[in-house]
Amino acid sequence: MTHILAIDQGTTSSRAIVFGPDLAPAASAQAEFAQHYPASGWVEHDPDDIWQTTLATARAAVAQVGVEAITAIGITNQRETTLIWDRETGAPIHRAIVWQDRRTAETCGRLKAAGHEPMITERTGLLLDPYFSGTKVKWLLDNVPGARDRAQAGKLAFGTVDTFLIWRLTGGKVHATDATNAARTLLYDIRHGTWDAEICALLDIPMSLLPEVKDSADEFGATAPELFGAPLPILGVAGDQQAATVGQACFAPGMMKSTYGTGCFALLNTGAEMVPSQNRLLTTIAYRLDGKVTYALEGSIFIAGAAVQWLRDGLGIVDDASRSGSMARAADPEQEVILVPAFTGLGAPYWDAESRGALFGLTRNTGPNEIARAALQSVGFQTDDLLDAMQADWPGLPSDAPLRVDGGMTASNYTMQFLADILGRPVDRPQVLETTAKGAAWLAGMKAGIYPDRETFAASWDLERRFAPEMDSATRARRLAGWKDAVRRTLSDHS
Ligand SMILES: Nc1ncnc2c1ncn2[C@@H]1O[C@H](COP(=O)(O)OP(=O)(O)O)[C@@H](O)[C@H]1O
Ligand SMILES: O=P(O)(O)OC[C@H](O)CO
């Protein structure tokens, strides 16, 4: 009883990692699953794929160490993705609507035009954007035949992916979420820690659908014994970006992390203070421990590693993502090609769903190397936009505070050096890059009493490499001006 199973249910794959007594990974398994795109801008997951890949990977990882070694489970998950199921049968009423899905753009537009956004932002910290769960729940109730009646009769349950997995893992006994996941629904008042009756009424969502909200380290029930051969308590739950914030030990105000996977999500710990954003960032819950909320400012951008996927799968100019760095280094220094990767619109701080990507500065000499460099640099430029907004929203942020990074794309030394250069601040890459799963494991293991307290855990955070800024300030200013001009010309309303 010395290990913790972390379940990391992500957008494109489910992962399970068992962490040992020293918080080092001891076993793991991963399975990808299908993405469904039933219409332009729509993205769905089959709930059974989510469940089956989660169960199979969890069983495979547990088998490597033996179930008797597992003390508890921590769950971390793709956030905002929305499911509704029948309380009696457990059957979902529809496929899961994924966070990337834009089908409720019109509903959001209507609610915005009617002047509801300021009230919603003040209470939830979020914006009226299809990204969040609330309008997706409304869509399901409005469009699945009979759903609203069944919801009104108390027969249905809503959940983000954590809640759905807890329900399935406990054999339908527990309908719960944690505060970080609740904070992404658009239905949760993060100031008071309560579901908001007025917003639910505005979206026509019966409150009987909603799960109980717990701490991020809390008792979420035990798994049905037949699943793993023994009941395992679920003691930690957090949305994946918040779990990464915990895994990176960003426990003090002013500490921040940025995760570079398909997209990029930067979170700045603002402590017990809920900081409203004047710069179109999100205000969210970083974690809730012992009933005490720690808040964060978050910047979300939709395309980071996905730009490299585009080089590989769309343009076919790299055969492997890891080749992009050497191509960028070989690019012509005289050409300043800029890619604005607004493939699905732009996220924070622009929130422009209608814009589409653009390349600037092409000449007859532009080739694959220059385009690869532009793709990698776009990640640095976009992060700078986020950190600029954070600095403006929270002037307490020291201008030389390091950025802790994780996620698949941080393997790219070129990208990390450019990031440090363009931010003008150090970029710290830790030894353990599985920080999301590590955060979930720590929450559960700390609750179980086998992992150390916050301070000791924070002290064990290990640097693998620091990227120090090397670019001179004139070059930096010129490059940033070029980026800002390119974004201006890309925005859908660039009049
Ligand atoms: N060496 C590399 N250079 C540049 N990009 C990379 C490199 N290795 C991985 N990536 C990018 O990182 C992403 C994968 O990161 P990961 O954290 O696994 O993402 P996710 O969890 O969102 O699926 C991919 O988009 C891939 O293109
Ligand atoms: O599954 P990921 O790693 O792409 O993360 C998705 C985010 O939680 C969406 O908000």
Side-chain angles (χ1 to χ4, degrees):
M1 299 272 282
T2 49
H3 290 58
I4 298 289
L5 167 65
I7 289 174
D8 179 359
Q9 204 303 304
T11 310
T12 57
S13 75
S14 301
R15 258 189 285 222
I17 303 181
V18 173
F19 288 84
D22 50 355
L23 259 159
S28 69
Q30 179 167 11
E32 294 193 358
F33 56 87
Q35 310 288 313
H36 299 276
Y37 306 105
S40 167
W42 293 29
V43 189
E44 296 179 352
H45 291 161
D46 186 330
D48 246 13
D49 285 347
I50 293 179
W51 169 239
Q52 293 299 344
T53 54
T54 298
L55 185 60
T57 52
R59 280 178 168 157
V62 168
Q64 292 168 50
V65 295
V67 68
E68 57 292 338
I70 306 292
T71 310
I73 297 180
I75 298 177
T76 179
N77 54 289
Q78 53 166 321
R79 307 169 304 168
E80 299 98 11
T81 297
T82 299
L83 295 109
I84 297 182
W85 61 93
D86 187 295
R87 288 181 184 274
E88 193 76 41
T89 63
I93 65 164
H94 192 273
R95 285 207 286 234
I97 304 185
V98 178
W99 58 276
Q100 295 152 323
D101 191 291
R102 315 297 300 170
R103 79 185 63 183
T104 60
E106 225 179 275
T107 308
C108 291
R110 241 194 347 267
L111 290 165
K112 247 196 264 191
H116 294 298
E117 188 166 60
M119 177 274 284
I120 289 181
T121 301
E122 189 189 344
R123 297 178 188 185
T124 67
L126 308 176
L127 298 164
L128 257 175
D129 189 271
Y131 178 21
F132 309 106
S133 316
T135 56
K136 300 183 200 288
V137 177
K138 176 175 166 52
W139 187 93
L140 287 169
L141 296 180
D142 287 344
N143 288 278
V144 176
R148 187 168 297 287
D149 287 348
R150 286 160 75 195
Q152 252 136 18
K155 295 200 162 117
L156 300 180
F158 150 73
T160 39
V161 168
D162 56 310
T163 306
F164 175 66
L165 292 178
I166 293 166
W167 178 276
R168 287 273 167 115
L169 286 166
T170 60
K173 287 205 172 73
V174 179
H175 185 215
T177 189
D178 90 301
T180 67
N181 276 294
R184 314 298 295 187
T185 59
L186 207 73
L187 308 173
Y188 189 69
D189 184 335
I190 62 170
R191 302 166 307 173
H192 304 117
T194 50
W195 293 116
D196 191 289
E198 202 180 326
I199 299 175
C200 288
L202 182 67
L203 296 177
D204 213 0
I205 295 174
M207 294 181 80
S208 62
L209 278 173
L210 305 175
E212 181 189 352
V213 183
K214 292 173 167 275
D215 281 355
S216 310
D218 211 328
E219 287 172 8
F220 292 87
T223 58
E226 65 275 16
L227 294 178
F228 298 101
L232 299 173
I234 304 166
L235 295 180
V237 175
D240 55 10
Q241 302 310 321
Q242 283 87 344
T245 307
V246 168
Q248 289 273 30
C250 291
F251 293 132
M255 292 183 80
M256 57 188 172
K257 73 90 204 179
S258 193
T259 300
Y260 296 92
T262 310
C264 156
F265 301 87
L267 267 80
L268 166 70
N269 183 323
T270 61
E273 189 193 358
M274 183 189 149
V275 178
S277 177
Q278 307 302 320
N279 295 283
R280 318 259 319 143
L281 296 174
L282 308 173
T283 306
T284 202
I285 293 180
Y287 44 86
R288 193 178 98 188
L289 296 173
D290 298 323
K292 261 184 56 197
V293 173
T294 297
Y295 292 96
L297 278 169
E298 171 172 327
S300 329
I301 54 186
F302 302 138
I303 305 292
V308 181
Q309 287 165 7
W310 172 69
L311 297 178
R312 192 192 57 192
D313 306 334
L315 297 185
I317 60 175
V318 300
D319 46 6
D320 188 273
S322 62
R323 277 262 304 133
S324 55
S326 51
M327 289 174 73
R329 278 193 197 91
D332 176 3
E334 297 302 315
Q335 295 183 54
E336 291 192 350
V337 177
I338 295 178
L339 169 68
V340 182
F343 301 148
T344 54
L346 285 169
Y350 306 104
W351 298 103
D352 180 6
E354 307 304 327
S355 59
R356 289 296 174 264
L359 272 166
F360 294 92
L362 303 182
T363 72
R364 281 287 293 270
N365 293 327
T366 302
N369 290 348
E370 288 71 32
I371 293 176
R373 183 183 58 192
L376 299 184
Q377 292 188 346
S378 73
V379 170
F381 287 128
Q382 292 184 98
T383 308
D384 187 71
D385 283 340
L386 300 182
L387 265 56
D388 248 14
M390 283 178 180
Q391 187 95 58
D393 276 339
W394 202 71
L397 177 64
S399 60
D400 58 351
L403 176 67
R404 293 186 170 183
V405 295
D406 54 79
M409 201 184 188
T410 59
S412 170
N413 290 338
Y414 176 86
T415 309
M416 294 303 104
Q417 183 57 51
F418 183 75
L419 181 62
D421 285 345
I422 210 69
L423 296 179
R425 60 171 87 232
V427 167
D428 286 353
R429 188 167 67 189
Q431 292 284 355
V432 176
L433 284 175
E434 292 290 359
T435 50
T436 302
K438 190 178 176 189
W442 178 74
L443 288 167
M446 186 262 300
K447 182 75 185 166
I450 67 163
Y451 285 161
D453 63 13
R454 212 184 303 196
E455 288 67 33
T456 316
F457 173 67
S460 71
W461 184 90
D462 242 356
L463 182 71
E464 182 260 334
R465 178 164 169 190
R466 168 166 284 195
F467 296 86
E470 286 166 1
M471 191 181 274
D472 65 83
S473 55
T475 308
R476 181 168 169 253
R478 184 173 49 75
R479 297 299 323 270
L480 284 172
W483 164 255
K484 287 189 169 35
D485 185 50
V487 170
R488 188 185 53 74
R489 290 194 275 163
T490 306
L491 290 172
S492 54
D493 177 17
H494 57 269
S495 47

